[in-house]
Amino acid sequence: HRRQVAVLESELLRLGVPRKVLDAAAAAPTAPATGTAFGSTSGSTSGTATGGSATPSGGSTGTASTAPSVKGTKGLAADEASDLGPTAIASLATVPPTATPLVGSLLSQRAAAATLLGAPATGPEPTWSAPSLASSYLDSTRAAVYAFEVVAAQSPTGAQHTLALATLAALESRAQEQESLAGTSAGPPDLGYPLPFRVTTAGAARKLAAQVLTELRASIARDLGSTDGDVGPLGALVEWLADTEVLASQWGVKLSAFPGLA
């Protein structure tokens, strides 16, 4: 969160927000967080620029507090989800297009953190005005599904096999959702997709899993800038990016302040 504060402050200053506005937002008291889902009511408007405040939860543009939390995981999950209230995605659609991937990625971090803390943040069913947009996202998901079929095949036993099958099922479900959203604009999947290296052992399968999820995370983050402010695709991409961050963490990929962004 300290990294998020620094990056957001720099971006807001670049966009022309006066320093005194940032300082006033940092000094404002923060209401208790109650939101735990994209569609829930949030008691805190602090957080990303989409929530109407200049800083992430905690309300500070300086060094984040290092005092130990006494809230427990439930309270921490609620804090993370407090930026995901009912207007979060609609507000995200109004930020400058150059900032959409940054703020959208941060919202995905909030959702992923809430999930990892045991309180998944679920969004509303997306509505799309341009089905072809869903089709443009589908190929990267299908490529990831193919890669995890290989990962599962080369992870024949134990915990890695179980995790490979669970990850594969999650990605297949996402591909089916995207196919449904895309409708007739979705073509058939390719018979196969290129892999970055030969995968013939469980160790190589682990490496492939981490690389594929890292690349998928980056692909989704880039796609956040392709929606032209369409709330349906924006909400879906934020959710898919959050889900990918969770999947990647299960394969040992380091969590990120801004998932998918360098």
Side-chain angles (χ1 to χ4, degrees):
H1 291 316
R2 283 193 289 270
R3 174 67 177 156
Q4 290 171 340
V5 168
V7 171
L8 283 176
E9 182 178 86
S10 175
E11 178 66 7
L12 289 168
L13 290 170
R14 186 189 70 79
L15 290 170
V17 177
R19 164 62 65 181
K20 64 181 180 180
V21 173
L22 300 185
D23 291 342
T30 306
T34 58
T36 57
F38 288 121
S40 68
T41 301
S42 171
S44 170
T45 57
S46 73
T48 68
T50 64
S53 171
T55 61
S57 294
S60 171
T61 56
T63 303
S65 170
T66 56
S69 171
V70 294
K71 294 182 178 183
T73 55
K74 238 180 160 180
L76 291 173
D79 280 351
E80 293 287 354
S82 66
D83 286 333
L84 304 174
T87 63
I89 302 303
S91 296
L92 175 61
T94 69
V95 306
T98 55
T100 302
L102 182 73
V103 181
S105 176
L106 187 145
L107 290 178
S108 295
Q109 178 278 318
R110 297 288 196 263
T115 297
L116 290 168
L117 288 163
T122 56
E125 287 296 316
T127 56
W128 298 64
S129 57
S132 61
L133 203 55
S135 178
S136 71
Y137 307 144
L138 180 56
D139 196 57
S140 59
T141 306
R142 284 173 167 171
V145 167
Y146 177 83
F148 267 90
E149 289 173 344
V150 176
V151 171
Q154 296 299 331
S155 306
T157 60
Q160 182 170 313
H161 178 69
T162 301
L163 180 57
L165 291 179
T167 307
L168 176 58
L171 293 172
E172 286 176 333
S173 176
R174 186 185 304 177
Q176 289 168 4
E177 179 185 5
Q178 291 171 339
E179 286 169 357
S180 177
L181 289 166
T184 56
S185 65
D190 291 345
L191 294 178
Y193 295 83
L195 299 178
F197 48 82
R198 269 177 68 86
V199 181
T200 57
T201 66
R206 276 195 307 276
K207 181 181 176 183
L208 177 64
Q211 182 168 329
V212 165
L213 290 170
T214 299
E215 291 174 354
L216 181 61
R217 190 174 64 172
S219 174
I220 299 169
R222 287 193 300 269
D223 286 338
L224 282 165
S226 70
T227 63
D228 291 327
D230 192 334
V231 173
L234 268 179
L237 286 167
V238 167
E239 189 167 351
W240 293 334
L241 181 54
D243 291 345
T244 304
E245 175 78 339
V246 171
L247 293 174
S249 75
Q250 294 169 346
W251 286 93
V253 177
K254 186 178 179 181
L255 293 170
S256 172
F258 296 94
L261 301 183

